[in-house]
Every structure is written in structure tokens, then in C-alpha cells.
């Protein structure tokens, strides 16, 4: 017996990529370079090692789902400083919960908030298209209908939920919103975030702001969901934000993030996690709290990404629709046929990229908005990045 909803989701993008590329040898004259996975290769901060070792004894304890007061207070302080929030807005007891990476949290939250029916109809979950594929898995396995809202060049690379039909908004349970966006790197303005929150409150759905790229930006710090709540008067109703150390601090293997926002939603989420969650172990939480309290390594990280995008500016210039993203570390290149280009880059230049088609789904007009794109993650050091981009331009 297999859950039939799994068929509706289809294969995960990296499995589809293996099926596409693995029957072929990469170009033998080159060392393979993978730009397919958004896994930062910059070194993790040393303090992680030290703090985990210092807290060795705590491996002997089952961690609480709520984590530690120290972790929650590090998150509240970071959020207050980063988004200039009033100190009364976030209660560290009720408004914050640690998670073992935001991937599982973005998935599990749907189990906590999607009801069986809304006004007697199947609930809908809105998401951008292209999008982080976990949203689709979460919506479908929670029994909702996933609704793919174009986030294309024509829509300024962000989804517009406001223009969705009333019938749909009335049965919407939740909406995923990613800024800076993966893969397009677009950053939503504070005004846009406020409009989404207003819509969610008017229509009585929940909005989940996926902000794991918030600290990788090129000019101005991207606004966030909680900042928009503050600008709207401070209520946290209907809003949760998800953030992570994976990209900010180059520790994707630490599996550490948090969810913050509406205490009613945090409570429901905690109940799901009480039954099925894997809360972060205490030594990792201690390291995570220290990372959220340190901005020096984050600043150095930002500098490194900016230098790599300077290289991309020079090497790619205006080719393949190249633009420098406002946030995040991806290139989203329009190459005509993304699958064909990914195959060619692998066979001809030993560069692994991911076809945009695998990160999107067909929209209502039957078009997959990612088909003509490839996504390239600039996660390596400068030298490797330069080498990869030069090969990529020559091959394409
Ligand atoms: C848009 C987006 N959201 C969430 C995640 C999950 O990150 P993590 O589970 O490492 O916190 C990723 C990871 O690549 C991502 O790209």
C-alpha cells in the first residue's frame, strides 16, 4: 500500500536530474563542478566546532520540542534588531520554535494548518511557480490542492496572489511566499509583503514567509514578513516566518532553523512536532544560538557572494537573460531549452546545473514557466566559480 498522493507529486528535482545526466560521462578534460544544489561550500564558522564540543554532555538528553530559552532569546533578539521590531511584539515563549532545518518545517506546517474542507470544498495552497519543491509535497500530502501562481519575467519574478479568483481565495488554507526568491533572486518590497498579509487576513488564510536567503543580498537588506507585521500595527495574526542558518552561516549540515510568528499557529505546529518532529539536539541549538548572535561571519559571507556576482557580471554580461539577483545566490538563465542546456553543459563542460522545468509545474495555460531556464548555484569559492562560469558561457 502506497499513499496515492505521492504520485501527484512526482519525482524530486535532483532525482530527475540524475535520470537526465547520469547515463552520460561528463566531459573528460574537465574536473566536474556542480552548480545544481544550493549547498554553500564556504567554510562553516569555527565557533560551531567549539560550542558543540563544549556541550558534549548534552548529547545524553532528549531535546524539548520548544528548544531552550537561550536559543529562543537569541532568535527574538536577532529578529528585533534585523527588522527593527518593537520589543513587545515577539514573546520568546510562545512565538518562536526551533526546527531541524526549514525544509522539514515548511513541510510539517501544512499538516498543522490545512483543514479537511473549507466551506465544504477541498482546501487550496498557493505557491509561486517556479518554487521550492517542498511546498508542493507539503500541500499535496496534507490533502490540499496546490495552486501554482506564475512568478515569471512578466510578473517581475514574484507571484501575485491578489489577482487570484475569489472562489479560490475563499478556500485557500495557506500561501507560501519566498523572498529573496529561489530561484529568481527577486526581493519583495515591504509594501508587497504588507499587501499579502492584508489579503491573508481578509480571506482568512495563513501566509508562510520562507526567508532562508534573507542574509544573502547585494545592496539593501531584504524586508521580512515580521517587519511587515510591525508596519501594519504589530499583530502576528495569520503569519509565520521561516529562517535558517544553512545559507546565512554556511552550515547546511547543522540542520538548524526556526519558525516565528502567530502564537496560535506555533502552538498547533508544536503539537504536530510533539508527535512527529525531530527537535534539534541541545549541542546544536547552543551552536545555533551563537551563530544568530554573530554578524561578523555573515558580513564576510555577503562580501564573498558579492565578489562572485561581480565575476558573473563580467563573464556573463547580457547573455542568456543574465541579471544580477537582488538576493540569494542563484543565476536564473534563459537558455532556450533548459533540459537540453543542462545536458550539453554536463557532456561538454562537466558543469552540473538544474533545468528550470524541474523547479516548476505546468500552469493553467499548460505552460511550464521554467522550461527555458537553468538554475546555477554560485556556492563555490571564487576560483571555482570563475572557472565554472567561463566554461558555461563558452559551452552555451
Ligand atoms: C527556498 C528554500 N526554502 C527552504 C530551504 C530549506 O533550507 P534548510 O532546510 O537547509 O533550512 C531551501 C534550501 O535550499 C530553499 O531553497
Amino acid at each position: 500500500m502506497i499513499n496515492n498522493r505521492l504520485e501527484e507529486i512526482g519525482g524530486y528535482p535532483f532525482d530527475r536530474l540524475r535520470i537526465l545526466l547520469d547515463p552520460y560521462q561528463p566531459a573528460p578534460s574537465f574536473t566536474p563542478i556542480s552548480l545544481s544544489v544550493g549547498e554553500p561550500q564556504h567554510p562553516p564558522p569555527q565557533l560551531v566546532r567549539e560550542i558543540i564540543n563544549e556541550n558534549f554532555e548534552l548529547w545524553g538528553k532528549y531535546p524539548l520540542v520548544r528548544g531552550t530559552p537561550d536559543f529562543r532569546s537569541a532568535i527574538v533578539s536577532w529578529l528585533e534588531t534585523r527588522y527593527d521590531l518593537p520589543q513587545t511584539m515577539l514573546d520568546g515563549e510562545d512565538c518562536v520554535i526551533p526546527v531541524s532545518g526549514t525544509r522539514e518545517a515548511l513541510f510539517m506546517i501544512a499538516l498543522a494548518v490545512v483543514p479537511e474542507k473549507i466551506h465544504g470544498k477541498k482546501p487550496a495552497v498557493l505557491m509561486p511557480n517556479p518554487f521550492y519543491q517542498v511546498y508542493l509535497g507539503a500541500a499535496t500530502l496534507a490533502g490540499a490542492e496546490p495552486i501554482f501562481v506564475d512568478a515569471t519575467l512578466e510578473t517581475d519574478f514574484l507571484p501575485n496572489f491578489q489577482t487570484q479568483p475569489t472562489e479560490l481565495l475563499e478556500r485557500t488554507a495557506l500561501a507560501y511566499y519566498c523572498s529573496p526568491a529561489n530561484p529568481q533572486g527577486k526581493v519583495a518590497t515591504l509594501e508587497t509583503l504588507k499587501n499579502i498579509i492584508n489579503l491573508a487576513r481578509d480571506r482568512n488564510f495563513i501566509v508562510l514567509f520562507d526567508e532562508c536567503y534573507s542574509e544573502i543580498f547585494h545592496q539593501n537588506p531584504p524586508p521580512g514578513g515580521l517587519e511587515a507585521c510591525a508596519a501594519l500595527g504589530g499583530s502576528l495574526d495569520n503569519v509565520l516566518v521561516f529562517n535558517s542558518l544553512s545559507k546565512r552561516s554556511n552550515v547546511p549540515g547543522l540542520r538548524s532553523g526556526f519558525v516565528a510568528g502567530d502564537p496560535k499557529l506555533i502552538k498547533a505546529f508544536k503539537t504536530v512536532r510533539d508527535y512527529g518532529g525531530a527537535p534539534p539536539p541541545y549541542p546544536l541549538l547552543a551552536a545555533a544560538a551563537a551563530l544568530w548572535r554573530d554578524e561578523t561571519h555573515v558580513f564576510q559571507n555577503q562580501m564573498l557572494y558579492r565578489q562572485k556576482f561581480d565575476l558573473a557580471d563580467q563573464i556573463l554580461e547580457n547573455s542568456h537573460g543574465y541579471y544580477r539577483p537582488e538576493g540569494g545566490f542563484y543565476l536564473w538563465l534563459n537558455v532556450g531549452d533548459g533540459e537540453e542546456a543542462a545536458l550539453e553543459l554536463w557532456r561538454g563542460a562537466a558543469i552540473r546545473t538544474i533545468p528550470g522545468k524541474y523547479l516548476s509545474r505546468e500552469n493553467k495555460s499548460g505552460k511550464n514557466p521554467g522550461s527555458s531556464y537553468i538554475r546555477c548555484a554560485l556556492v563555490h569559492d571564487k576560483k571555482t566559480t570563475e572557472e565554472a562560469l567561463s566554461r558555461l558561457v563558452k559551452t552555451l
Side-chain angles (χ1 to χ4, degrees):
M1 279 291 196
I2 304 272
N3 186 340
N4 59 311
R5 288 177 184 155
L6 280 176
E7 276 170 33
E8 293 167 38
I9 307 172
Y12 203 64
F14 297 110
D15 286 333
R16 294 173 72 187
L17 186 63
R18 276 187 279 276
I19 293 169
L20 178 75
L21 301 186
D22 287 3
Y24 302 95
Q25 290 297 318
S29 45
F30 294 118
T31 307
I33 304 175
S34 175
L35 305 180
S36 60
V37 187
E39 179 190 65
Q41 303 295 307
H42 306 176
Q46 275 303 321
L47 63 90
V48 172
R49 188 201 306 271
E50 290 152 21
I51 296 181
I52 291 177
N53 285 344
E54 278 163 23
N55 288 279
F56 181 81
E57 302 307 323
L58 294 175
W59 288 112
K61 290 204 170 299
Y62 275 124
L64 287 174
V65 168
R66 282 205 174 283
T68 57
D70 180 59
F71 176 84
R72 292 195 301 271
S73 116
I75 300 305
V76 170
S77 304
W78 183 78
L79 287 167
E80 285 173 354
T81 311
R82 169 68 171 78
Y83 297 110
D84 200 14
L85 306 179
Q87 294 205 338
T88 46
M89 206 172 129
L90 284 178
D91 174 347
E93 275 304 296
D94 300 331
C95 298
V96 177
I97 192 163
V99 292
S100 296
T102 46
R103 171 200 179 103
E104 57 120 357
L106 288 160
F107 179 84
M108 262 197 187
I109 188 70
L111 302 180
V113 300
V114 173
E116 213 164 299
K117 297 263 187 231
I118 299 182
H119 307 309
K121 294 184 184 149
K122 185 167 179 155
V125 171
L126 311 183
M127 61 194 74
N129 193 22
F131 60 98
Y132 182 53
Q133 298 290 294
V134 169
Y135 311 157
L136 169 61
T140 310
L141 291 173
E145 180 188 355
I147 304 290
F148 309 114
V149 183
D150 275 0
T152 56
L153 188 58
E154 292 72 34
T155 70
D156 203 17
F157 287 132
L158 289 171
N160 190 345
F161 296 149
Q162 266 94 347
T163 53
Q164 297 308 302
T166 308
E167 174 281 325
L168 175 64
L169 293 173
E170 275 173 357
R171 64 182 177 94
T172 294
L174 66 93
Y176 288 97
Y177 198 87
C178 186
S179 169
N182 170 6
Q184 313 92 323
K186 184 74 193 173
V187 169
T189 61
L190 187 62
E191 216 39 46
T192 302
L193 301 180
K194 281 162 60 184
N195 289 340
I196 296 166
I197 294 171
N198 280 334
L199 180 74
R201 289 179 182 160
D202 280 356
R203 297 293 178 181
N204 197 25
F205 65 81
I206 288 151
V207 56
L208 308 178
F209 291 105
D210 181 359
E211 300 183 344
C212 68
Y213 296 96
S214 68
E215 305 315 288
I216 318 283
F217 57 85
H218 297 294
Q219 265 175 335
N220 302 317
L226 293 180
E227 189 178 353
C229 287
L232 288 169
S235 161
L236 296 166
D237 284 353
N238 301 46
V239 174
L240 289 176
V241 299
F242 294 67
N243 212 328
S244 162
L245 290 172
S246 300
K247 326 286 177 182
R248 174 188 192 270
S249 302
N250 305 318
V251 285
L254 193 68
R255 310 307 304 125
S256 185
F258 69 82
V259 182
D262 188 335
K264 297 182 292 301
L265 303 175
I266 294 283
K267 190 167 174 231
F269 185 47
K270 178 183 171 290
T271 304
V272 173
R273 293 179 61 71
D274 282 337
Y275 282 90
Y282 288 135
L284 305 193
L285 270 191
L291 288 175
W292 287 108
R293 289 187 173 113
D294 180 61
E295 292 298 325
T296 309
H297 74 280
V298 181
F299 181 69
Q300 286 162 352
N301 210 24
Q302 286 162 356
M303 289 298 131
L304 190 47
Y305 281 114
R306 281 174 205 159
Q307 289 163 6
K308 291 192 286 182
F309 276 98
D310 287 345
L311 285 172
D313 288 351
Q314 286 163 26
I315 299 171
L316 284 149
E317 294 178 349
N318 295 323
S319 55
H320 311 295
Y322 169 76
Y323 60 93
R324 189 177 174 126
E326 292 165 294
F329 49 54
Y330 298 107
L331 303 182
W332 184 234
L333 299 177
N334 190 338
V335 289
D337 180 328
E339 254 182 346
E340 209 176 278
L343 197 52
E344 188 53 36
L345 284 166
W346 182 237
R347 297 178 70 182
I351 302 289
R352 224 171 159 89
T353 60
I354 189 145
K357 187 179 173 181
Y358 300 175
L359 305 173
S360 323
R361 285 295 190 278
E362 278 188 6
N363 59 21
K364 271 191 269 134
S365 354
K367 186 172 180 278
N368 182 319
S371 290
S372 62
Y373 288 85
I374 53 170
R375 189 191 74 175
C376 311
L378 296 197
V379 286
H380 295 276
D381 59 28
K382 274 189 284 184
K383 199 161 156 275
T384 312
T385 303
E386 186 169 17
E387 163 74 20
L389 293 179
S390 307
R391 276 192 229 164
L392 184 136
V393 163
K394 273 197 205 111
T395 311
L396 291 178

